[in-house]
Amino acid sequence: MVSSRGRMSDGPGRDSVSDVHNPKAAAVYLTLAPQFLHPSGPVLVPMLVLATAHALLHTFWLAGWTAVTGAAARLLRTPCVRRTLDRLTGASSSASASAPR
């Protein structure tokens, strides 16, 4: 998705553009996909099936990471965890400030 400033904003369009311009993704399709094709058979339909399977796996992978990071964010925002993290970072900062140079 393009924002009003002409830049790519967060969203599904940004991931699609980065995947299209990724040479590693092209290398995967050029090296791995042909082994699943029959030499004398059709190419278009099997490649569309493989690309669809890849897109679905990618979508589920990103959805899984979204769920995990969302749960982690909710956990890190709880008062108990915030206090603990504040104490740890304060102790770390104090220890590094008082360390001999």
Side-chain angles (χ1 to χ4, degrees):
M1 297 169 31
V2 179
S3 68
S4 60
R5 296 181 184 176
R7 294 183 306 167
M8 292 298 287
S9 63
D10 292 337
R14 184 170 131 186
D15 291 334
S16 299
V17 170
S18 68
D19 283 346
V20 169
H21 290 128
N22 185 357
K24 292 178 190 172
V28 166
Y29 278 101
L30 291 174
T31 58
L32 293 178
Q35 67 183 330
F36 297 106
L37 302 174
H38 296 289
S40 61
V43 174
L44 181 63
V45 173
M47 283 302 293
L48 287 175
V49 169
L50 289 173
T52 302
H54 178 248
L56 288 172
L57 286 171
H58 190 78
T59 300
F60 286 126
W61 176 259
L62 291 177
W65 273 112
T66 301
V68 168
T69 56
R74 282 190 297 279
L75 175 69
L76 291 172
R77 286 188 192 111
T78 60
C80 180
V81 173
R82 296 284 303 238
R83 279 192 304 274
T84 303
L85 289 174
D86 286 344
R87 289 178 184 143
L88 288 173
T89 55
S92 171
S93 178
S94 297
S96 66
S98 63
R101 296 178 192 241

